[in-house]
Amino acid sequence: MDGTVLVADDDRTIRTVLTQALTRAGCKVHATSSLVTLMRWVAEGKGDLVISDVVMPDGNGLDQLPKIAELRPNLPVIVISAQNTIMTAIKAAEAEAYDYLPKPFDLPDLMKRAARALEMKPRRATTAADDSQSEDLPLVGRTAAMQALYRLVARVMNTSLSVLVTGESGTGKSLIARAIHDFSDRRSLPFVVAAASDLEGMDGPQSLLSRVKAGSLVFDEVSDLSMDAQARIVRMLDALGDTAPRIMATSRTDLLDALEKGALREDLYYRLAGVTVAVPPLRDRVDDIPLLAEHFLTRAEREGAPARSLASDAIDIVRAYTWPGNVRQLENVIRRLVVTSSNPDIHRPEVEQVLGSQPAIEPLNTGQADKLSGSVEQHLRRYFDLHGGALPPAGLYQRILREVEAPLIEIALDATLGNQAKCADLLGINRNTLRKKITELDIRVTRRRKMM
C-alpha cells in the first residue's frame, strides 16, 4: 500500500496495532485520540485515508463525516465502531462513509479494505444522519449475520427497489421494514402497513395509494393474503405512476414453497422480491443473546424498572435456550425476570423458573430447523389472521387442545402398536382416561390398535 492514513481512536491498543500494521504495509500513519486533532489534519490536507472510531472523548466520529466531505470531497473514511447496531451502519451509509466495520474487527480484512480505499477515491456527499430518529431499536448484534444485515439495509434504504423481508416470527421483520423507511429519504412521508381489508372494494387500492402517497407501503405476511387480494395488489402495482411509494413485504414462510403450493401468485412474488432481506433467527446468532438481554435490561431500567443484570450462570442458560419465539420471546422473558427477581443480579434458578412456562429447552445445533412451538405459533397466528380484525369464536382453548390431543393420541397408539396400557404409560395418563379420550375424540381403533 502507498499513502498516508489518519487513525482516530481513543483505544491506545487499537492505535498501536493499526499503526504497526499500516506501517509494515508501506503507509505513513498519523494516529490520535482526538477528533479535534483529526479534523485539523484533514483541514491541513494531510492523509489519503481516514480510519475513525465513532465514540471519542471529544465527540462523535459519525458527526464529522459531512465536515470531512466538505473539506476533502475525495477523502475516503472507514468507520470502526463498538456500537454494533443498525443505527451505526445506517448513519455511516447516509454520510457515505467509504466502509464500516464493527469492533472487534478482523485486522487482515481491515487492511484489505484500506488498500482498496487508497486505490479508489469514491464520490463523497454531505448527507447527514437524522439525529431525531430513535436509537432504541432491538436490532443490535456483533455477529457476522447481523452485520451483513445492517450493511444490506443501509445499501437498499434509498433505492426504489421493492424489498421482501423474510424471517421467522419474532425476528424483527417489521422493525427492519420500519427502519428502511425511517432512515431513508422518504422518512417524512407516510408509512402504511396494508391490511387485507384495505384491498377490498372498487376503491380499496386507490384509497390505499392516496394514504401512502410517495412514502412506504408494506404488505405484512403477504402469503397469508387471499388470491383475490394478491391479484388486486398486482393490478395496483402495475398501475403505479411516477410518484409511486416504496413497496415492501414481509413473510415468515418460505415464499418459494408457497409458490409451489399455489398459495402465492408468481407474478406478485417477482414484483415484491426486488431485494430480499433475510433476518436470521436468534439460534443462528447465539453470541448476540447476551447483548440483546443487556439491551432489554437497560430499556426496562429507563422505563422505571429496578436495575438488573444477568449473572454468568444465568447467561449460560439463556445462551443454551433455543428461543423459538426469537427476539420477541427473549424480550418478554427479560421483562418478566426484571419484575420477578428480588436481587440486582439474576441467577440461573430465577431464569429456569421463568423459562418453565416457555417451550422446552433443547440443545442447539441439533439440525432441526423447525421447533414444535414455532410451528404451532405459525398456525395459531394464521388462524387469528383469517378473522381479520375480529376475534375468533369463543371456546378457542378447548378447540386448540382437541386439535393437539387427537393426533398426539393417534401417533402414540401407532408407536405402541395399539397397546393402550403402554400408550397410557407413554402419555403419562390413566388407562381409563385414555379410553375416554379415544371415545370423546372419535379416534378409530384399527386392526393395528386392538383394544386391550
Side-chain angles (χ1 to χ4, degrees):
M1 289 190 290
D2 181 29
T4 300
V5 182
L6 308 181
V7 175
D9 199 297
D10 62 339
D11 188 319
R12 178 180 296 179
T13 301
I14 290 180
R15 294 199 306 272
T16 300
V17 169
L18 289 180
T19 297
Q20 293 175 349
L22 290 165
T23 301
R24 285 196 299 267
C27 295
K28 295 180 180 179
V29 181
H30 298 288
T32 180
S33 62
S34 167
L35 283 176
V36 172
T37 302
L38 173 66
M39 294 308 296
R40 176 167 56 80
W41 288 341
V42 171
E44 291 172 352
K46 294 180 179 178
D48 303 300
L49 167 67
V50 173
I51 300 177
S52 176
D53 193 5
V54 173
V55 178
M56 300 281 282
D58 55 349
N60 186 297
L62 288 176
D63 294 340
Q64 300 303 320
L65 292 182
K67 183 65 174 178
I68 293 174
E70 181 182 344
L71 293 171
R72 304 271 300 281
N74 293 321
L75 180 62
V77 180
I78 296 178
V79 174
I80 55 176
S81 175
Q83 290 188 323
N84 305 317
T85 70
I86 194 172
M87 297 294 301
T88 307
I90 287 175
K91 286 185 176 182
E94 282 189 326
E96 296 198 10
Y98 175 81
D99 215 333
Y100 158 72
L101 281 90
K103 291 181 179 179
F105 54 81
D106 179 69
L107 183 58
D109 181 37
L110 175 57
M111 295 297 290
K112 290 178 182 178
R113 295 169 190 258
R116 289 196 297 266
L118 289 170
E119 294 173 358
M120 302 170 57
K121 299 209 179 278
R123 179 183 62 84
R124 301 296 311 278
T126 59
T127 304
D130 186 357
D131 292 333
S132 65
Q133 301 296 337
S134 169
E135 296 199 21
D136 197 28
L137 293 173
L139 295 169
V140 297
R142 295 189 177 94
T143 55
M146 288 304 289
Q147 294 302 319
L149 173 65
Y150 297 161
R151 292 193 186 94
L152 179 57
V153 169
R155 286 198 299 268
V156 306
M157 64 183 181
N158 281 322
T159 69
S160 59
L161 290 170
S162 59
V163 176
L164 175 61
V165 186
T166 64
E168 298 176 6
S169 294
T171 51
K173 299 185 296 298
S174 298
L175 288 172
I176 290 292
R178 184 81 211 197
I180 290 174
H181 171 82
D182 285 349
F183 301 99
S184 72
D185 50 17
R186 301 175 190 257
R187 62 174 67 92
S188 61
L189 297 171
F191 176 85
V192 177
V193 178
S197 58
D198 293 323
L199 300 165
E200 296 175 355
M202 295 294 294
D203 300 329
Q206 189 58 44
S207 175
L208 188 60
L209 290 176
S210 66
R211 285 167 50 202
V212 70
K213 299 181 174 60
S216 297
L217 178 58
V218 180
F219 298 102
D220 194 30
E221 297 300 340
V222 65
S223 63
D224 289 348
L225 295 174
S226 68
M227 298 305 288
D228 180 63
Q230 293 181 31
R232 288 174 178 269
I233 294 174
V234 170
R235 291 193 293 270
M236 180 181 70
L237 297 182
D238 286 345
L240 292 177
D242 295 334
T243 57
R246 174 67 172 275
I247 303 298
M248 290 186 277
T250 68
S251 177
R252 64 178 177 272
T253 59
D254 184 344
L255 291 188
L256 292 178
D257 184 53
L259 280 175
E260 293 180 1
K261 294 179 179 178
L264 182 71
R265 290 175 60 109
E266 184 175 5
D267 51 0
L268 177 59
Y269 172 78
Y270 289 113
R271 283 166 174 79
L272 295 177
V275 176
T276 299
V277 177
V279 187
L282 202 51
R283 64 178 175 274
D284 287 349
R285 52 187 190 107
V286 176
D287 289 341
D288 286 335
I289 292 176
L291 185 66
L292 282 162
E294 180 62 29
H295 174 88
F296 294 132
L297 288 169
T298 302
R299 173 187 284 182
E301 184 179 351
R302 286 203 309 265
E303 294 173 354
R308 295 285 185 265
S309 62
L310 292 179
S312 59
D313 60 341
I315 292 175
D316 289 341
I317 190 172
V318 167
R319 283 175 57 92
Y321 194 72
T322 56
W323 300 109
N326 292 293
V327 179
R328 184 187 298 118
Q329 183 187 15
L330 174 62
E331 180 178 15
N332 290 338
V333 166
I334 294 298
R335 286 185 174 275
R336 286 182 60 184
L337 286 168
V338 169
V339 173
T340 58
S341 299
S342 56
N343 298 314
D345 290 334
I346 301 171
H347 288 275
R348 181 184 181 110
E350 297 170 285
V351 178
E352 289 178 331
Q353 184 176 2
V354 171
L355 290 179
S357 61
Q358 304 291 316
I361 299 174
E362 299 177 19
L364 293 171
N365 301 322
T366 60
Q368 297 175 351
D370 297 323
K371 305 302 179 190
L372 175 61
S373 56
S375 299
V376 171
E377 181 186 2
Q378 290 184 10
H379 286 293
L380 289 176
R381 288 188 179 279
R382 180 168 296 185
Y383 179 74
F384 273 78
D385 292 341
L386 288 174
H387 293 83
L391 294 174
L396 177 62
Y397 186 80
Q398 290 300 326
R399 288 202 305 276
I400 295 299
L401 287 183
R402 183 183 179 90
E403 290 287 334
V404 174
E405 274 188 313
L408 175 59
I409 292 174
E410 288 180 349
I411 293 171
L413 283 168
D414 279 335
T416 56
L417 300 179
N419 188 317
Q420 291 188 26
K422 289 184 179 180
C423 183
D425 184 65
L426 174 65
L427 295 173
I429 61 177
N430 183 275
R431 183 176 174 183
N432 291 332
T433 302
L434 175 60
R435 285 180 170 177
K436 182 180 178 182
K437 291 292 183 183
I438 290 173
T439 302
E440 289 178 349
L441 299 173
D442 194 25
I443 297 175
R444 291 192 303 170
V445 180
T446 64
R447 292 179 182 176
R448 193 178 179 185
R449 302 191 204 121
K450 296 180 180 178
M451 299 292 287
M452 302 301 292

